[in-house]
Amino acid sequence: MLTIDSNDIACAARRMMICYGAHAVDIARERAMETGHAADIRQRDMAFLVLSEVEKLARKGPHTQ
């Protein structure tokens, strides 16, 4: 069984914040919604965990990233 590594989640969220800036939350949310009905449960879980992490980073602001 494959497990989701918290480092993978944090890394993906940081990359999204760097690449998309202020739009990262919207893009992460869109990706999570797209995978919301996916047959691949791991992919769906990963998308929602990344969304959660991106939202946390966005709330903290750019000075803490």
Side-chain angles (χ1 to χ4, degrees):
M1 182 172 143
L2 297 172
T3 59
I4 297 173
D5 183 8
S6 60
N7 289 330
D8 291 342
I9 295 164
C11 183
R14 283 193 301 273
R15 278 196 317 263
M16 288 190 78
M17 292 298 290
I18 291 167
C19 292
Y20 303 116
H23 302 289
V25 173
D26 293 331
I27 293 168
R29 187 173 292 123
E30 183 178 309
R31 290 182 182 176
M33 292 301 122
E34 287 173 358
T35 62
H37 301 292
D40 184 352
I41 294 170
R42 185 178 187 276
Q43 180 183 2
R44 182 180 60 208
D45 290 349
M46 180 77 166
F48 280 101
L49 289 169
V50 170
L51 169 59
S52 177
E53 189 66 22
V54 168
E55 289 173 335
K56 278 192 241 177
L57 291 174
R59 281 192 301 271
K60 289 180 181 177
H63 60 281
T64 60
Q65 296 172 14

